[in-house]
Amino acid sequence: MPTLNIAPEVALALDEHRPVVALESTIISHGLPRPRNREAAHEFEAILRDKGVTPATIAVIDGIPTVGLDEEGLATIADRDIAKASVRDLPILMAKGESGATTVAATAHIAAQAGIRVFATGGLGGVHREANETFDESADLSTLAVTNITVVSAGVKSVLDIAATLERLETLSVPVIGFGTTKFPAFWLTDSGFTLDWAAKDATEIASIMRAHDDTSHGQGIVVANPIPLDQQWDPAEHDRVLAEAFLAAERAGVRGKAVTPFLLGFIVDASGGRSLEVNLDLARNNIRVAGDIATAWSRLSS
Ligand code: PSU
Ligand code: MN
């Protein structure tokens, strides 16, 4: 059985040093509600194709880590109840021949194995609030410490402990670079209130940082933080109100572990009357555009 199935279109683009962007599947399976999620999966790929960039949505399909999904693969992650898979779940799904939607961690891991250098997502996982008691820190962070890929995200959600997440990324020697700003975003909000040390002015500058990183790093990843524009962000007061409700609901429902992120996301979409979903889609589209530009700049620089 093959250990990695790379779609011919993706393999050819990589071979010819043309731009490729990896896309995550947990955002489709567990991060966005049906049936909007399937539309989004198609739309995300179309944004890249319109820029001349080859999309590579990643998931485990019937036990095979797959890079670049066909219609059936997209339907598997969007319409069926499948496992949320982080890096540690991969060998188990492979041995059992089962499917799974890959988190940022697992997507980054598989993308790097395939030779993809740029990856777009919505928000990174991170350190959960009260992690000092629960130890709940996403494997997204530890995986980025050992996986050389550039991830474009709108920061991390305010459901997480943003300060602790930034501290962990510092400890793990993962560069965090603001895209055109030093203000670190909080997913639905343009500004988390935390300031980064560094900003890059454009995609070309990110590509040159990637090249220097290759010369000096020990193989960790790079985080590009791309804030949603102010006029597209969620109203901060409503955001604060809905988040407080979501935490209460999670506590009452006794949700733990890997179920926490999907529970909060689902609750927040419902409690915001769909507004958080629109912002989520907008910021994902923004990140995918920026990732496409970075992949294009990278292919120019590296070929
Ligand atoms: N943040 C989002 N949407 C998501 C996720 C995070 O805004 O869908 C998903 C990603 O797949 C991320 C995962 O890798 O949640 C993190 O889950 P955990 O905290 O259980 O590691
Ligand atoms: Mn967790």
Side-chain angles (χ1 to χ4, degrees):
M1 206 175 25
T3 50
L4 201 60
N5 177 6
I6 304 180
E9 173 195 28
V10 176
L12 188 67
L14 289 170
D15 231 38
E16 295 177 348
H17 299 280
R18 285 187 282 113
V20 175
V21 169
L23 299 169
E24 185 216 326
S25 45
T26 293
I27 183 176
I28 303 299
S29 66
H30 293 75
L32 299 169
R34 292 176 193 149
R36 199 63 195 278
N37 61 343
R38 171 107 87 113
E39 266 169 57
H42 284 110
E43 195 200 335
F44 292 168
E45 295 202 344
I47 291 170
L48 292 169
R49 290 189 200 284
D50 286 349
K51 284 180 166 291
V53 175
T54 303
T57 304
I58 292 180
V60 181
I61 304 293
D62 297 331
I64 305 173
T66 304
V67 180
L69 300 183
D70 56 14
E71 271 309 308
E72 208 187 317
L74 288 175
T76 300
I77 60 169
D79 304 342
R80 291 210 262 140
D81 290 325
I82 60 170
K84 170 180 165 183
S86 193
V87 176
R88 70 172 188 165
D89 304 302
L90 296 176
I92 302 168
L93 292 173
M94 290 166 77
K96 288 181 179 289
E98 288 185 18
S99 298
T102 47
T103 63
V104 168
T107 305
H109 179 77
I110 294 169
Q113 283 185 324
I116 299 175
R117 297 298 307 261
V118 184
F119 167 22
T121 185
L124 276 188
V127 180
H128 286 253
R129 298 189 191 187
E130 293 164 7
N132 59 336
E133 281 168 26
T134 61
F135 276 66
D136 192 353
E137 174 185 334
S138 177
D140 291 357
L141 301 186
S142 51
T143 300
L144 285 176
V146 294
T147 308
N148 188 5
I149 195 157
T150 297
V151 188
V152 182
S153 85
V156 299
K157 286 201 191 64
S158 25
V159 303
L160 299 176
D161 184 333
I162 298 178
T165 301
L166 289 170
E167 288 297 339
R168 288 291 293 146
L169 287 166
E170 180 184 330
T171 303
L172 297 169
S173 297
V174 174
V176 182
I177 305 157
F179 195 72
T181 176
T182 54
K183 292 184 168 129
F184 188 70
F187 198 71
W188 303 286
L189 303 180
T190 306
D191 185 1
S192 66
F194 294 93
T195 304
L196 297 169
D197 290 338
W198 301 103
K201 62 178 185 301
D202 55 23
T204 307
E205 190 170 17
I206 298 288
S208 57
I209 294 170
M210 288 166 64
R211 188 161 66 180
H213 180 77
D214 280 356
D215 291 337
T216 190
S217 80
H218 59 252
Q220 68 273 45
I222 294 174
V223 170
V224 174
N226 182 39
I228 188 161
L230 205 54
D231 60 354
Q232 287 179 288
Q233 77 166 351
W234 194 8
D235 174 60
E238 200 200 332
H239 162 274
D240 293 353
R241 181 181 61 75
V242 171
L243 249 63
E245 282 175 29
F247 280 120
L248 213 64
E251 198 184 305
R252 287 208 186 110
V255 186
R256 295 271 178 284
K258 72 195 259 186
V260 169
T261 301
F263 178 91
L264 292 173
L265 287 176
F267 183 94
I268 290 167
V269 168
D270 290 342
S272 72
R275 174 70 188 132
S276 72
L277 173 61
E278 293 314 316
V279 182
N280 192 343
L281 290 168
D282 279 340
L283 65 86
R285 293 181 191 110
N286 287 339
N287 294 344
I288 291 164
R289 277 186 218 108
V290 167
D293 292 344
I294 294 170
T296 302
W298 175 253
S299 82
R300 285 202 191 106
L301 203 68
S302 60
S303 59

